[in-house]
Amino acid sequence: MNNPSNATFLSIGELFENGEYIIPIYQRNYAWGAPEIEQLLQDIWDMASESRGQPYYLGSLVVHKRKDGKFETIDGQQRHTTLSIILAVLKSLSIQKTIVTPNLAFECRDRSKDTLAYLFSTEGEPKTNAELEPAMQAAKEVTQRFLNSKEITKAVLLSQYLLKDVKILRVVVPEDTDLNHYFEIMNNRGEQLEKHEVLKARMMGILQNQETDNKGGEMSTFSKIWDACAEMDRYFVMSFTPDVRKKLFTDALYCTHRTFEDLCNVLSSLQENASFKTLEELIKDATLAPIGKSESSNEYEGAYAGIINFPNFLLHVLRIKAPQASLDDKKLLTTFEEYIKTADDVKGFARDLFTCRQLLDRYIIKRYNDEKWSLRALKLSSDGSSVVPENSFEELNESLIMLISMFHVSYPNQSRKYWLSGALSYLYKASKNSTLVDKGEYLGFLEQLSDRFFFGRFYTNKALEYDDILLLEKSVPYSAESKKLNDDYLHRGTSTPNFIFNRLDYLLWKRLKADESTKSGNPNYIKARLANFSFTTRSSVEHYYPQDPVGDSDRFESDNQAESVDRFGNLCLISASRNSKLSNHLPHAKKEYYANSNIVESLKQVFMMSYDEWGPKHLHSLDEHEKMIIEVLLTRCK
């Protein structure tokens, strides 16, 4: 056990103003991506806006104090590195002037150390992306996009709150600690009790306290539904044995909107006891009871990766009946406490959970074994002896995969997937009485949702909140004279919002699939590459003609963003690794690289590559392309 004096709460300002920290060689490289960084920024933003001075505890930083007085980081380097990058961006935007140099260095990783120092620096020659650590450079861009989407006064508030009220627990291990052994333990330690486990115990406690002759059966039913839904890496129906599936679902393995009483009649009669534990019992073993596997070993288990975790999925289900409920998973317990108060509330939620998990499995994309996105449901084989997957729709399946993946990669965070909230609400209403959802109407709804998000956020004098957009019954109007496209969102260089690029790529894909003329580029070059395109989590904005071209090549000289290298026509969204590799290469070199790799990351990039000439001396190509893509971007999907 550590001496309590070795554990100290530090504000982020105190952490960076005092002490030097070293990331030892045995630690992995910086690995946080856009989801983790955006989640951290959003959490701090929320607390800065709502907490009224209450501290936000970020977790722990476990360190060993070396003889030279420097701290060797054992656990917490990802957070510390991310905080360093955030402070560097705040400094570059002149929002914070307190922390002007990093206090973090990397043992035997010069590029990481140099990148962090460069991000804080305001002097010296610009570095090429090839000279910078790709993950850190991508983190900088994610942070810039986030902060540039906020009002400057609120960004200042975030900076002040971050330095003063965000706290981290620094734990200094004893001098005689075997660091290698300690590090191994830290990476293999058991899971802590999670909020959704506490929530389950609370809700079952409500059922236990009711006056009814069947509370044992109702608790058992609730527990079985909850535990089956909690296994997010397999199909919901596969959490039940074949005999139970026959009673719960139709031959199509689908049965939404069953009453809680019906579910009790099936599930409470089973032999297994409800896996109900009090909070005291949960805290003692901090484990969740395993779900029983299907009896048949040859049935399709559907090992897949979905787009949402269980705690956040619970909040989306709650919004079916409480549309104003928060999607902030930090508030999971308090949000449910506000809306789930009685036994009837618990039963109603269990019924909705049973329905929504089926809808998620059937109508929302997932990946199988790291393959491409898919949209598949399960069905019984022709002889009824096994379960097999099939496309959820015979037609439009590809279009729906494209559109749903477009939303997901635009908003990769687990929390606040507002588009998913809208989609589940639509699916819930469209599936009454176990009706299968109409493919055309579903596609139309999602396309209209894309329109709402774009015109509601980027085509108004003031961006609407996502919740307000979801509550609108029709698409956001954009014909009023007082509303116009805010060009500033387009010509932001690396800070241009991801959703704009992804929406554009979807609209381009849709036009190309319909064989419509796009009035830009070489159509043969473009169509030959269409089949290789799919949406992936891309986080780096590339300048097709580079900011710092190699050699004595021409440069964009204008200070006007709409005419500079940062203009929208010269940008596309790609992966951070490829942007780092190719960043300062001229267009013909980038074109050659992609031609040899058969990789298509961005349809907008394909359009740019289809031109024979590109750059400051060939503005006619850039002008033609930009005019076309803005016209496409302003076209309604639906």
Side-chain angles (χ1 to χ4, degrees):
M1 293 289 291
N2 288 321
N3 186 312
S5 64
N6 288 342
T8 309
F9 277 110
L10 301 173
S11 70
I12 300 306
E14 291 170 334
L15 172 68
F16 280 86
E17 288 172 344
N18 301 287
E20 295 180 55
Y21 295 80
I22 302 292
I23 305 299
I25 187 62
Y26 59 77
Q27 293 271 21
R28 63 176 177 158
N29 290 333
Y30 180 64
W32 272 21
E36 295 89 354
I37 298 163
E38 290 178 356
Q39 186 68 66
L40 175 62
L41 285 164
Q42 188 65 57
D43 288 348
I44 297 172
W45 179 269
D46 290 341
M47 292 299 294
S49 303
E50 303 171 9
S51 70
R52 298 178 182 177
Q54 292 298 312
Y56 174 55
Y57 296 99
L58 195 56
S60 62
L61 178 66
V62 182
V63 298
H64 171 256
K65 192 168 185 179
R66 293 179 170 182
K67 292 181 179 180
D68 61 4
K70 295 180 181 180
F71 294 102
E72 178 178 323
T73 301
I74 302 171
D75 187 55
Q77 74 131 328
Q78 301 291 330
R79 280 192 298 272
H80 196 164
T81 306
T82 303
L83 289 168
S84 301
I85 294 168
I86 292 171
L87 289 170
V89 174
L90 288 169
K91 176 178 177 289
S92 71
L93 297 174
S94 298
I95 293 175
Q96 74 89 12
K97 301 178 181 178
T98 304
I99 310 301
V100 296
T101 57
N103 69 340
L104 185 63
F106 299 82
E107 197 173 65
C108 300
R109 281 156 50 192
D110 290 341
R111 188 159 72 151
S112 294
K113 180 180 67 176
D114 292 345
T115 298
L116 200 55
Y118 174 72
L119 293 181
F120 273 92
S121 175
T122 56
E123 301 176 354
E125 291 294 321
K127 289 186 179 290
T128 67
N129 278 357
E131 297 176 275
L132 301 175
E133 178 63 39
M136 290 185 176
Q137 174 69 0
K140 182 203 77 169
E141 293 180 9
V142 170
T143 304
Q144 284 178 329
R145 280 199 296 274
F146 182 91
L147 293 172
N148 284 332
S149 70
K150 309 298 183 183
E151 296 178 16
I152 186 65
T153 54
K154 292 185 177 180
V156 171
L157 176 65
L158 176 142
S159 177
Q160 294 170 341
Y161 182 83
L162 171 64
L163 290 171
K164 179 183 176 183
D165 295 311
V166 176
K167 310 285 186 180
I168 194 166
L169 180 65
R170 188 184 67 187
V171 180
V172 183
V173 300
E175 290 183 8
D176 57 353
T177 300
D178 182 339
L179 295 184
N180 289 330
H181 180 60
Y182 191 94
F183 184 71
E184 182 179 350
I185 292 173
M186 292 294 293
N187 281 282
N188 292 283
R189 63 189 184 271
E191 293 295 326
Q192 297 179 346
L193 185 63
E194 296 190 33
K195 289 181 181 179
H196 65 83
E197 299 173 76
V198 176
L199 179 60
K200 179 189 176 186
R202 286 184 179 180
M203 294 176 78
M204 291 190 70
I206 293 175
L207 292 177
Q208 188 178 40
N209 291 333
Q210 67 178 323
E211 296 295 331
T212 177
D213 294 334
N214 190 36
K215 66 181 178 181
E218 291 179 347
M219 291 171 64
S220 175
T221 296
F222 176 86
S223 179
K224 289 180 174 68
I225 293 172
W226 183 283
D227 290 348
C229 287
E231 287 208 71
M232 300 296 284
D233 59 350
R234 69 196 302 232
Y235 273 97
F236 173 60
V237 299
M238 297 306 296
S239 293
F240 302 99
T241 62
D243 288 345
V244 176
R245 286 202 297 266
K246 289 179 182 178
K247 297 177 182 179
L248 279 177
F249 309 103
T250 65
D251 290 342
L253 298 181
Y254 178 76
C255 188
T256 61
H257 300 279
R258 294 197 66 164
T259 67
F260 187 75
E261 290 73 17
D262 286 342
L263 296 171
C264 274
N265 290 337
V266 176
L267 295 175
S268 66
S269 63
L270 300 181
Q271 298 269 325
E272 304 99 310
N273 294 322
S275 56
F276 170 52
K277 296 182 180 182
T278 64
L279 286 177
E280 182 179 359
E281 292 169 331
L282 282 170
I283 292 169
K284 282 182 179 179
D285 61 14
T287 60
L288 191 63
I291 309 297
K293 299 294 182 182
S294 174
E295 292 176 353
S296 177
S297 61
N298 65 353
E299 288 184 340
Y300 181 76
E301 283 293 335
Y304 66 80
I307 63 169
I308 192 79
N309 61 24
F310 186 56
N312 282 284
F313 177 62
L314 292 172
L315 290 169
H316 286 288
V317 177
L318 180 62
R319 278 169 68 106
I320 294 295
K321 295 299 170 62
Q324 302 291 348
S326 171
L327 286 178
D328 183 353
D329 58 356
K330 299 189 304 298
K331 301 177 181 178
L332 180 70
L333 296 177
T334 56
T335 299
F336 269 83
E337 187 176 0
E338 180 180 356
Y339 292 101
I340 304 295
K341 300 175 185 284
T342 68
D344 285 341
D345 292 338
V346 174
K347 297 171 193 177
F349 179 79
R351 176 200 63 220
D352 290 344
L353 189 60
F354 178 85
T355 290
C356 287
R357 184 54 207 275
Q358 293 178 68
L359 299 174
L360 185 79
D361 284 355
R362 181 175 285 266
Y363 299 121
I364 302 297
I365 57 168
K366 54 189 71 70
R367 287 191 190 276
Y368 293 87
N369 301 320
D370 295 325
E371 297 173 0
K372 289 184 177 182
W373 296 116
S374 64
L375 191 61
R376 296 194 283 187
L378 296 186
K379 69 170 185 177
L380 289 174
S381 62
S382 56
D383 60 4
S385 63
S386 61
V387 174
V388 294
E390 66 173 359
N391 286 341
S392 296
F393 300 102
E394 293 181 5
E395 300 173 355
L396 298 183
N397 212 62
E398 184 184 21
S399 295
L400 282 161
I401 290 172
M402 276 292 176
L403 187 49
I404 297 171
S405 60
M406 182 277 290
F407 274 116
H408 172 57
V409 301
S410 298
Y411 307 97
N413 286 355
Q414 288 285 340
S415 67
R416 293 180 177 82
K417 286 185 179 293
Y418 290 100
W419 70 267
L420 181 59
S421 179
L424 272 181
S425 179
Y426 169 84
L427 293 168
Y428 186 89
K429 295 173 184 176
S431 62
K432 286 289 187 183
N433 303 318
S434 295
T435 302
L436 290 171
V437 171
D438 181 272
K439 55 186 177 296
E441 293 179 1
Y442 183 32
L443 180 65
F445 168 80
L446 291 173
E447 288 191 329
Q448 188 183 83
L449 191 62
S450 172
D451 291 340
R452 293 183 191 183
F453 276 25
F454 178 72
F455 293 112
R457 299 286 291 181
F458 309 117
Y459 206 86
T460 61
N461 290 335
K462 183 177 181 181
L464 300 177
E465 296 297 328
Y466 286 110
D467 271 335
D468 294 334
I469 292 172
L470 288 176
L471 291 174
L472 293 173
E473 294 184 1
K474 297 181 180 180
S475 295
V476 179
Y478 65 103
S479 58
E481 291 183 2
S482 61
K483 297 177 180 179
K484 64 178 182 178
L485 178 65
N486 188 339
D487 286 349
D488 184 50
Y489 284 111
L490 298 182
H491 307 302
R492 285 186 175 182
T494 57
S495 296
T496 304
N498 287 8
F499 177 70
I500 292 179
F501 290 109
N502 289 322
R503 170 184 164 85
L504 174 63
D505 273 353
Y506 171 75
L507 290 168
L508 291 172
W509 177 86
K510 183 178 179 181
R511 288 195 177 197
L512 291 169
K513 291 292 287 188
D515 206 26
E516 295 179 16
S517 172
T518 52
K519 303 176 184 178
S520 173
N522 181 336
N524 293 329
Y525 179 93
I526 295 165
K527 291 178 181 178
R529 286 152 180 79
L530 179 62
N532 289 332
F533 172 72
S534 64
F535 282 105
T536 58
T537 305
R538 308 165 294 174
S539 61
S540 189
V541 176
E542 182 202 41
H543 293 81
Y544 182 46
Y545 194 90
Q547 295 170 290
D548 300 300
V550 292
D552 297 324
S553 303
D554 299 309
R555 294 173 179 265
F556 283 86
E557 301 295 343
S558 176
D559 293 330
N560 183 342
Q561 275 191 313
E563 299 173 1
S564 72
V565 71
D566 284 333
R567 63 185 289 186
F568 187 53
N570 190 46
L571 307 174
C572 64
L573 192 66
I574 64 173
S575 66
S577 60
R578 289 196 178 87
N579 200 1
S580 173
K581 183 184 298 184
L582 302 169
S583 61
N584 294 315
H585 287 68
L586 292 171
H588 66 83
K590 294 177 179 179
K591 184 174 179 178
E592 182 178 346
Y593 169 84
Y594 280 97
N596 293 331
S597 67
N598 291 322
I599 294 170
V600 176
E601 289 199 282
S602 162
L603 287 181
K604 184 183 185 303
Q605 183 189 51
V606 170
F607 272 83
M608 291 190 290
M609 287 180 175
S610 74
Y611 285 91
D612 293 329
E613 302 290 349
W614 193 273
K617 289 187 175 180
H618 306 282
L619 290 179
H620 60 282
S621 298
L622 207 162
D623 291 340
E624 178 185 279
H625 171 70
E626 186 167 271
K627 179 181 179 182
M628 182 277 293
I629 58 174
I630 291 179
E631 177 186 323
V632 171
L633 195 58
L634 293 176
T635 303
R636 287 188 180 278
C637 293
K638 182 64 176 179

